[in-house]
Amino acid sequence: MISSYSFLNTSEVGISTFFLIGIPGMEHAHIWVSIPICFMYLLAILGNCTILFFIKTETSLHEPMYYFLSMLAFSDLELSISSLPTMLRIFLFNATGISPDACFAQEFFIHGFSAMESSVLFVMSTDRLIAIYSPLRYISILTSARVTKIGLLFAALCIMFVLPFPFLLKRLKFCRKILLSHSYCLHQDVVKLACSDNKVNVIYGLFVALTSLLYFVCISVSYMLILKIVLGIASHKGRLKVLNTCISHICAVFIFYVPIVTLATLHRFAKNVSSVVRVVIADIFLLVPPLMNPIVYSLKSQQIRNLIQAKLCEKQC
């Protein structure tokens, strides 16, 4: 595939199309790879829509924790929808071309909703800290109005941070390499292809990445404080009960951050690692969190699990 675009990669004129990749060396099997990908997308969209539906319609779920869960489900849903078109086009139809404007728009939405997911995970860790540190004041501290304001504030911050990306990319000239290294558009991936000065893009991209890292640090601090409180509980049963309220969120944090940290480590310290490994991990980053988060929260939340079982029983009857 790369050789077929070699004449374009040496062109000195402005380009009108970028080319994405599927799984290098497995182009012949893309149609088979598309089956699990379609299945994962379908389950992710269905699962997150189900979470949003129950939280909206069931008054028993109108609590701060579930409001934050709805924000997580919304960001997961939009993250799936943002990457869905290009990945399915590549694996189903081997259509790898994408216009620069469409690419810039996609990377805006992917980075925007990734940032939103990071911020929601941070807010959820703070929610758990308040619930454990001051359970009697929990409802009075996190009122519905405050939860709404928190959600809108972080959404606005995410948009504000990511909004410059497409505008900064529009000012660049792309005249040589046009083959991206993933199945979807990422800011750092596109910036590398520029043949004009991209220092501003690199610096701003690093700033946004450090902001996301700051969220992870804050989440870690929250759990250190939670662990300190838990260790102060006398009974073993009491410790387990408190920790059990955090399991779902801890799983969500690991599911989201492990692929990011792994990919960053490979890019920084393992430059000789096969491109297939990097592409697969990058795809996991967009496919697995939206798929797994609804499953984890449905299994760990008795209220959501009971509602799903009740709906299933209604249909069977």
Side-chain angles (χ1 to χ4, degrees):
M1 182 179 291
I2 295 177
S3 60
S4 64
Y5 302 136
S6 58
F7 73 98
L8 289 167
N9 288 344
T10 58
S11 174
E12 291 298 329
V13 298
I15 58 97
S16 60
T17 306
F18 289 123
F19 289 93
L20 302 164
I21 63 171
I23 300 178
M26 293 185 63
E27 288 80 8
H28 62 285
H30 275 178
I31 190 65
W32 298 108
V33 176
S34 69
I35 295 173
I37 288 177
C38 288
F39 186 64
M40 291 172 76
Y41 269 122
L42 181 64
L43 286 180
I45 292 170
L46 179 63
N48 286 292
C49 285
T50 301
I51 295 288
L52 289 170
F53 171 77
F54 280 131
I55 293 174
K56 179 177 173 58
T57 57
E58 297 294 332
T59 54
S60 62
L61 299 181
H62 291 178
E63 300 175 5
M65 181 179 71
Y66 293 107
Y67 288 141
F68 292 131
L69 177 57
S70 69
M71 296 176 195
L72 183 67
F74 177 77
S75 60
D76 276 335
L77 182 62
E78 296 303 324
L79 201 56
S80 294
I81 294 172
S82 299
S83 58
L84 178 65
T86 54
M87 288 190 73
L88 291 188
R89 282 176 63 239
I90 291 169
F91 290 106
L92 279 175
F93 308 110
N94 201 32
T96 58
I98 183 172
S99 69
D101 286 341
C103 186
F104 299 160
Q106 185 185 52
E107 62 90 15
F108 166 74
F109 286 114
I110 288 176
H111 285 290
F113 288 113
S114 296
M116 191 176 295
E117 182 142 352
S118 292
S119 63
V120 172
L121 289 172
F122 160 61
V123 172
M124 291 177 81
S125 69
T126 306
D127 166 78
R128 291 297 83 207
L129 177 60
I130 294 172
I132 293 169
Y133 179 74
S134 186
L136 298 179
R137 298 179 57 209
Y138 175 69
I139 298 298
S140 63
I141 293 173
L142 290 175
T143 62
S144 297
R146 279 186 184 151
V147 169
T148 303
K149 289 177 182 177
I150 290 170
L152 292 174
L153 173 63
F154 277 97
L157 286 174
C158 291
I159 293 171
M160 183 180 71
F161 277 125
V162 179
L163 188 59
F165 275 168
F167 297 103
L168 289 173
L169 289 172
K170 286 284 285 184
R171 57 183 278 278
L172 298 178
K173 186 178 180 182
F174 303 91
C175 54
R176 294 186 183 90
K177 296 180 180 179
I178 55 173
L179 186 64
L180 299 169
S181 56
H182 295 299
S183 305
Y184 48 87
C185 294
L186 291 176
H187 180 262
Q188 61 269 29
D189 202 13
V190 177
V191 166
K192 290 178 182 178
L193 303 185
C195 56
S196 56
D197 186 14
N198 62 2
K199 288 182 181 178
V200 175
N201 301 71
V202 172
I203 292 171
Y204 191 74
L206 181 61
F207 168 71
V208 174
L210 289 175
T211 303
S212 297
L213 181 62
L214 181 61
Y215 280 132
F216 182 69
V217 171
C218 291
I219 291 169
S220 301
V221 171
S222 295
Y223 273 101
M224 281 190 268
L225 294 173
I226 288 172
L227 185 61
K228 182 180 178 182
I229 296 168
V230 169
L231 292 176
I233 299 173
S235 70
H236 179 69
K237 187 176 180 180
R239 292 178 186 176
L240 291 177
K241 184 178 179 180
V242 171
L243 285 175
N244 191 52
T245 64
C246 302
I247 292 297
S248 300
H249 181 256
I250 292 172
C251 290
V253 170
F254 274 100
I255 289 168
F256 181 75
Y257 278 104
V258 166
I260 295 177
V261 173
T262 302
L263 194 61
T265 303
L266 289 178
H267 276 290
R268 180 65 181 86
F269 300 107
K271 298 185 184 295
N272 295 327
V273 171
S274 169
S275 59
V276 175
V277 174
R278 296 181 184 179
V279 169
V280 170
I281 293 174
D283 289 347
I284 286 172
F285 161 63
L286 285 190
L287 287 169
V288 173
L291 171 68
M292 292 303 300
N293 285 338
I295 295 173
V296 169
Y297 276 95
S298 296
L299 290 174
K300 290 301 297 178
S301 172
Q302 187 173 355
Q303 287 175 280
I304 294 177
R305 191 168 64 248
N306 290 342
L307 288 169
I308 293 174
Q309 289 173 350
K311 289 291 182 183
L312 291 174
C313 289
E314 284 179 14
K315 289 184 178 180
Q316 290 177 354
C317 294

